[in-house]
């Protein structure tokens, strides 16, 4: 059960936030600025690439690499193949994971490594493979970790991850607010130099500013009735989130929201992109999870029963879309099955800014849901 009274008590929220999730969400903009500075100090701004790489490979543990790979792949589009190297191993622990380069990887390919840990021995073996093949290596990880030595020993580029003192108390997963941008920002700056994405310093500054504005709107001191993240957390408290996305950038944002709900709040969620979501989730909305589904005796005593789980649609759109849109059909399908729908649409801006706003609001929502439900 969600403790709604906790959401409007900033002091109680702070006391219950043992993982510093709210602080991480609020500091996302600051992490972007710090990461931009670290990238500049590492010499990324002075790089003069010979040309675009043939392919970009991304490696790292769990959602750290998955989130970065999805976002970079979305922003790069068809300009260059971008592949996440999926690890193998007997357990999800960093020491048990192993990565392998594909057989075709060679001197014209770029290997990116993103990890909030930096001690994984499997990444050392991967860096050695890349060095033998002649592939260029660039990595983002906490400073002072073994990964920094491994990368520098292979003549690669290492950028220290933008961290905070409280990060050292407990290793954070990539779904933790702030960590994604600390890993992603230096790689955006690097790929901007190679011409694969457009992320100059001015664009990254706008991302940081947008993240700050979201933190002002969604912070713990803002009441639930005017706080979009708290409102969404309340709406999803007793529901199965069915996340529908529309627009190029909204897809990765929706999948990250699904991961954050699972990792931070322990909540399952489904996600799909419009218009295909209308077909793939149609039966779900008309089945046992539909709002009106109650096959048992209507007159039975429900006082001691747990509330039935029903679906709630969350529609994420990456920007105001003119012309063709599946959003009206999505609203009609949801409402025709008595299914409530929540909508998030960012303010106008560049692709990076709108993506940052969607991720930031849903990050805050996942954190509030976690704290208010005692996760």
């Amino acid at each position: 059960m969600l403790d709604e009274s906790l959401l409007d008590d900033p002091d109680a929220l702070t006391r219950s936030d043992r993982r510093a999730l709210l602080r991480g969400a609020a500091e996302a903009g600051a992490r972007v600025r710090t990461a931009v500075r670290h990238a500049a100090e590492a010499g990324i701004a002075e790089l003069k690439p010979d040309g675009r790489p043939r392919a970009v490979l991304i490696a790292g543990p769990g959602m750290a690499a998955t989130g970065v790979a999805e976002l970079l792949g979305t922003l790069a589009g068809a300009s260059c193949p971008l592949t996440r190297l999926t690890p193998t191993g007997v357990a999800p622990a960093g020491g048990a994971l192993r990565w392998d380069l594909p057989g075709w990887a060679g001197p014209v390919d770029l290997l990116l490594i993103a990890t909030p840990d930096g001690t994984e021995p499997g990444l050392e073996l991967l860096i050695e493979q890349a060095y033998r093949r002649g592939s260029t290596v660039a990595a983002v990880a906490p400073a002072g970790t073994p990964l920094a030595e491994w990368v520098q020993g292979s003549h690669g580029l290492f950028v220290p991850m933008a961290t905070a003192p409280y990060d050292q108390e407990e290793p954070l997963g990539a779904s933790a607010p702030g960590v994604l941008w600390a890993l992603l920002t230096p790689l955006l700056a690097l790929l901007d130099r190679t011409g694969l994405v457009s992320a100059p310093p001015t664009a990254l500054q706008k991302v940081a500013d947008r993240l700050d504005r979201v933190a002002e709107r969604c912070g713990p001191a803002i009441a639930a009735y005017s706080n979009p993240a708290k409102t969404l957390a309340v709406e999803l408290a007793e529901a199965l989130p069915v996340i529908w996305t529309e627009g190029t950038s909204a897809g990765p944002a929706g999948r990250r929201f699904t991961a954050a709900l699972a990792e931070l709040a322990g909540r399952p969620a489904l996600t799909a992109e419009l218009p295909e979501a209308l077909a793939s989730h149609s039966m779900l909305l008309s089945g046992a999870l539909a709002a009106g589904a109650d096959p048992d005796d209507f007159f039975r005593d429900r006082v001691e029963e747990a509330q039935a789980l029903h679906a709630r649609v969350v529609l994420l759109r990456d920007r105001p879309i003119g012309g063709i849109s599946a959003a009206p059909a999505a609203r009609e399908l949801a409402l025709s099955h008595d299914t409530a729908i929540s909508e998030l649409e960012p303010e106008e801006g560049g692709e990076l800014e709108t993506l940052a706003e969607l991720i930031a609001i849903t990050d805050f929502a996942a954190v509030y849901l976690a704290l208010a439900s005692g996760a």
Side-chain angles (χ1 to χ4, degrees), residues 258-319:
T258 300
L261 286 171
E263 185 173 327
L264 303 183
R267 299 296 185 95
L270 302 173
T271 186
E273 298 186 17
L274 293 176
E276 288 86 354
L278 302 181
S280 59
H281 287 166
S282 177
M283 287 301 295
L284 183 150
L285 297 186
S286 60
L289 293 173
D294 190 0
D296 298 326
D297 181 11
F298 178 81
F299 296 101
R300 74 185 187 279
D301 184 5
R302 292 178 171 82
V303 174
E304 301 298 329
E305 294 183 9
Q307 183 174 343
L309 182 67
H310 296 307
R312 184 182 184 99
V313 171
V314 179
L315 177 58
L316 303 182
R317 304 173 71 193
D318 65 355
R319 62 174 58 85

Side-chain angles (χ1 to χ4, degrees), residues 211-219 222 364:
L211 291 171
D212 286 345
R213 290 201 297 273
V214 172
E216 293 173 358
R217 294 169 52 206
C218 298
I222 307 301
F364 267 106

Side-chain angles (χ1 to χ4, degrees), residues 37-239:
R37 186 176 73 249
H38 286 177
E41 292 171 351
I44 286 180
E46 284 73 42
L47 291 178
K48 294 180 173 59
D50 294 333
R52 293 184 176 185
R54 178 182 62 177
V56 176
L57 305 168
I58 299 181
M63 287 303 300
T66 302
V68 169
E70 283 210 351
L71 294 172
L72 290 180
T74 297
L75 294 168
S79 61
C80 176
L82 193 148
T83 304
R84 184 205 170 204
L85 301 180
T86 304
T88 58
V90 297
L97 298 177
R98 294 292 182 270
W99 291 263
D100 289 298
L101 288 177
W104 48 262
V108 293
D109 302 311
L110 173 62
L111 172 64
L112 304 178
I113 295 175
T115 172
D117 186 342
T119 64
E120 302 91 344
L123 290 177
E124 179 183 15
L125 299 176
L126 178 66
I127 292 168
E128 291 175 358
Q129 287 183 49
Y131 181 69
R132 291 195 301 269
R133 303 267 194 97
S135 300
T136 302
V137 179
V140 183
T145 56
L147 186 70
E149 297 180 8
W150 301 335
V151 173
Q152 292 163 354
S154 65
H155 306 290
L157 174 67
F158 178 80
V159 182
M161 176 182 165
T163 58
Y166 55 85
D167 288 349
Q168 310 307 319
E169 299 173 6
E170 182 178 346
L172 294 174
S175 290
V179 173
L180 173 71
W181 293 104
L183 293 171
L184 178 66
T185 303
L187 299 181
L188 285 172
L190 175 62
L191 294 190
D192 177 73
R193 296 298 300 164
T194 65
L196 295 181
V197 302
S198 178
T202 53
L204 296 176
Q205 178 60 47
K206 290 180 179 179
V207 168
D209 293 342
R210 182 70 67 100
L211 291 171
D212 286 345
R213 290 201 297 273
V214 172
E216 293 173 358
R217 294 169 52 206
C218 298
I222 307 301
Y225 67 85
S226 60
N227 186 320
K230 288 183 179 179
T231 298
L232 183 57
V234 171
E235 292 170 345
L236 298 180
E238 303 298 333

Side-chain angles (χ1 to χ4, degrees), residues 19-28 31 166-167 172-182 256 260 264 359-360 362-364 366-367:
R19 293 177 287 173
L21 298 176
L22 279 174
R23 185 186 299 181
E27 293 178 353
R31 297 235 191 181
Y166 55 85
D167 288 349
L172 294 174
S175 290
V179 173
L180 173 71
W181 293 104
R256 172 175 168 79
L264 303 183
I359 289 175
T362 52
D363 273 355
F364 267 106
V367 169

